[in-house]
Amino acid sequence: MKPVIYVTRKIPESLLEPYQDQFAFRMWEKADEPVPRDVLLKEVNDAEGLLCLLTEQIDRELLDHAEKLKIVANMAVGFDNVDVAAAEEKGVTVTNTPDVLTATTADLTFALLMATARRIVEASEYIKKDAWENWSPYLLAGADVHQKTIGIVGMGRIGQAVASRAKGFDMNVLYHARSRKPDAEQELGAVYKEFDELLAEADFVVCLVPLTDETANLFDREAFGKMKRSAVFVNVSRGGTVDENALYDALTDGTIRAAGLDVFKGEPISADHQLVKLANVVALPHIGSASEETRSKMLKLCLDNLAAVFNGKDPLTPVNNG
Ligand code: DGY
């Protein structure tokens, strides 16, 4: 009997094909809609492996329904949707998808930073709504990026890849992280700062920390208050790292200049969301790693993690010792 693997979203058959001999796949058949919770709870009942997305909460309740489960292969580098401690207690391995998405996510982070600074979306909308009548000196003038100071909060792989892009723009790179990164300091000239110092000195504050109990609402009223009035805040981590009401106030009362947001607290958000309505916000629907190539690599890494575990090998990218 092949182990049953439940896949929580419709993914290309061509990706599953090389693993068909080994696994009995069952899949939620919708590509753009998450599996309803009650269906998921039923499906995991006899599943030995789960390939899931950040749209699923893999919590204790679900793990209690999944007595045969050996591995949760989460298609994201972030795993705040998984109760890793509960999984570990139950001997379930949890894996994520680091590395394969680093460059793609860093590209998007930099694109969002630039789009926010140079008001690219607003400028494009300006033409589309037929508002362009004259050229004028300060029409849609934004902020320069080159030779400014970027402050990266969370200097993991993606943070370092963003720093290397920033060097190409002659930026001064500051970072804050739980531990010092000697390689980034030597190779990229990144300078370590305490959190408050970074907030006070950076022209661009970029949030790339994982969401944990310690980083929840890290960017609160006090944090925005410490930033420059000209600062641009960019978040490509998780919405939970930000107090969104405090950010709204900071953006509307001139505490900071603008924000580029790829992530929000309760995703998906609608056009009615208070932050989306602001002209000084560029909002994206959580597309940090969304290139066709990278999304396929992430799925393949999930499948390779499943294959490794069922072949008695170590998973390639574990986040616990299931
Ligand atoms: C991740 O991998 O954690 C992203 O947020 C989704 O690509």
Side-chain angles (χ1 to χ4, degrees), residues 54 74-80 97 101 105 158 236-238 262-263 286-290 294-295 298:
L54 48 77
N74 196 42
M75 186 212 172
V77 67
F79 46 86
D80 47 284
T97 59
L101 50 59
T105 309
I158 300 171
V236 187
S237 150
R238 288 291 184 269
D262 184 43
V263 286
H286 202 149
I287 56 165
S289 60
T294 291
R295 286 288 162 88
M298 291 164 72

Side-chain angles (χ1 to χ4, degrees), residues 48-245:
E48 290 186 56
L50 183 63
L51 194 170
C52 62
L53 316 186
L54 48 77
T55 44
E56 281 83 54
Q57 286 307 314
I58 311 303
D59 51 18
R60 195 173 282 279
E61 183 200 27
L62 181 139
L63 293 165
D64 284 343
H65 276 72
E67 288 191 346
K68 293 186 174 172
L69 199 62
K70 292 194 176 60
I71 164 169
V72 172
N74 196 42
M75 186 212 172
V77 67
F79 46 86
D80 47 284
N81 59 315
V82 182
D83 185 337
V84 177
E88 192 145 342
E89 262 173 45
K90 291 173 178 289
V92 175
T93 298
V94 179
T95 62
N96 66 344
T97 59
D99 301 320
V100 291
L101 50 59
T102 299
T104 302
T105 309
D107 288 349
L108 186 281
T109 306
F110 218 80
L112 180 55
L113 181 154
M114 294 206 67
T116 310
R118 294 297 305 272
R119 304 171 64 183
I120 302 291
V121 177
E122 217 184 323
S124 173
E125 287 304 317
Y126 187 75
I127 293 194
K128 289 189 180 182
K129 66 181 187 218
D130 213 11
W132 192 21
E133 287 174 0
N134 290 302
W135 187 93
S136 43
Y138 291 97
L139 174 66
L140 289 158
D144 272 331
V145 171
H146 65 273
Q147 294 170 355
K148 293 278 185 72
T149 295
I150 185 171
I152 301 172
V153 180
M155 196 63 157
R157 303 172 186 85
I158 300 171
Q160 294 185 38
V162 169
S164 92
R165 282 151 182 75
K167 291 314 280 183
F169 281 77
D170 283 338
M171 295 180 92
N172 175 31
V173 178
L174 311 180
Y175 78 97
H176 179 75
R178 271 185 314 182
S179 58
R180 294 285 285 262
K181 309 283 172 189
D183 289 353
E185 293 184 16
Q186 264 165 28
E187 286 160 26
L188 301 165
V191 176
Y192 176 85
K193 293 279 171 178
E194 291 303 328
F195 185 55
D196 288 358
E197 289 175 328
L198 179 147
L199 297 181
E201 292 175 34
D203 299 302
F204 295 90
V205 176
V206 178
C207 172
L208 286 165
V209 281
L211 177 61
T212 62
D213 289 347
E214 289 76 49
T215 63
N217 291 320
L218 177 66
F219 292 92
D220 57 8
R221 210 165 287 281
E222 211 185 322
F224 291 118
K226 287 180 179 150
M227 293 181 194
K228 295 182 181 179
R229 290 182 84 79
S230 56
V232 172
F233 175 67
V234 176
N235 190 7
V236 187
S237 150
R238 288 291 184 269
T241 60
V242 175
D243 174 343
E244 290 181 340
N245 289 327

